[in-house]
């Protein structure tokens, strides 16, 4: 079994946490082309709802998100990060997500837009890989645990 220093483990954890936060920001701002910055070229992504076959390749993941209706608004709250190094170039982890959604047709008020009546809570199960450009998602599997 490979031994890792505390510093190595903390650095990998921080990089993977940052990756999860960046993913949420990219989705919530609909800056989908930037998904290529967080997914490895040969990554897979499995949607939490709908088709259970993974989408293969960063380019196809980007294209899938770009095909979403532009009127859909999202806000991901992510927490409970867990990351475990497997090797110096791979790690696995999970994080919890609470997803609020709305639509641009909802009027903007001083308190923001009204959310959709159904909100989702779940878990992302991730595999991370260190690339020449830093840590990336090698695999991201979304799962839903609860809904309102």
């Amino acid at each position: 079994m490979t031994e890792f220093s505390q510093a190595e483990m903390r650095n990998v954890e921080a990089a993977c946490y940052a990756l999860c936060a960046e993913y949420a920001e990219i989705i919530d701002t609909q800056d989908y082309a930037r998904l290529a910055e967080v997914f490895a070229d040969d990554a897979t992504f499995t949607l939490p709802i709908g088709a259970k076959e993974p989408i293969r390749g960063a380019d196809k993941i980007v294209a899938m998100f770009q095909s979403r209706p532009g009127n859909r608004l999202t806000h991901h709250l992510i927490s409970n990060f867990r990351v475990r190094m497997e090797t110096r170039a791979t790690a696995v982890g999970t994080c919890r997500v609470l997803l609020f959604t709305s639509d641009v047709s909802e009027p903007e008020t001083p308190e923001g837009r009204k959310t959709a009546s159904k909100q989702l809570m779940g878990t992302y199960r991730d595999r991370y890989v260190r690339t020449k450009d830093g840590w990336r998602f090698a695999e991201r599997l979304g799962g839903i645990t609860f809904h309102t």
Side-chain angles (χ1 to χ4, degrees):
M1 180 176 190
T2 306
E3 293 290 324
F4 307 109
S5 72
Q6 288 294 316
E8 282 178 304
M9 289 188 291
R10 297 298 164 247
N11 287 340
V12 170
E13 288 170 357
C16 294
Y17 296 170
L19 201 58
C20 292
E22 195 62 23
Y23 168 86
E25 183 68 13
I26 289 168
I27 300 304
D28 294 344
T29 60
Q30 298 185 3
D31 193 5
Y32 302 130
R34 289 193 51 235
L35 287 168
E37 298 172 16
V38 298
F39 282 97
D41 291 342
D42 60 348
T44 62
F45 179 76
T46 305
L47 291 164
I49 298 173
K52 290 300 175 192
E53 285 298 314
I55 299 161
R56 298 186 184 283
D59 55 339
K60 289 184 177 146
I61 295 167
V62 169
M64 183 274 300
F65 277 99
Q66 288 176 328
S67 72
R68 286 183 163 185
N71 61 308
R72 182 176 189 258
L73 303 173
T74 62
H75 193 101
H76 291 74
L77 300 175
I78 52 176
S79 66
N80 300 42
F81 296 95
R82 297 179 65 217
V83 174
R84 181 178 52 82
M85 286 180 70
E86 295 181 315
T87 70
R88 285 187 171 76
T90 61
V92 294
T94 60
C95 69
R96 301 285 192 254
V97 62
L98 172 56
L99 175 61
F100 289 90
T101 61
S102 188
D103 192 278
V104 296
S105 66
E106 287 292 333
E108 257 188 281
T109 71
E111 294 85 23
R113 287 185 165 93
K114 182 174 176 59
T115 62
S117 60
K118 187 176 192 178
Q119 305 309 322
L120 304 173
M121 296 166 50
T123 302
Y124 281 114
R125 300 184 187 290
D126 299 316
R127 295 190 69 69
Y128 307 98
V129 62
R130 187 188 314 251
T131 71
K132 65 179 176 50
D133 298 315
W135 286 91
R136 300 291 184 261
F137 291 111
E139 178 181 18
R140 181 150 249 220
L141 172 64
I144 303 299
T145 309
F146 304 112
H147 68 85
T148 56

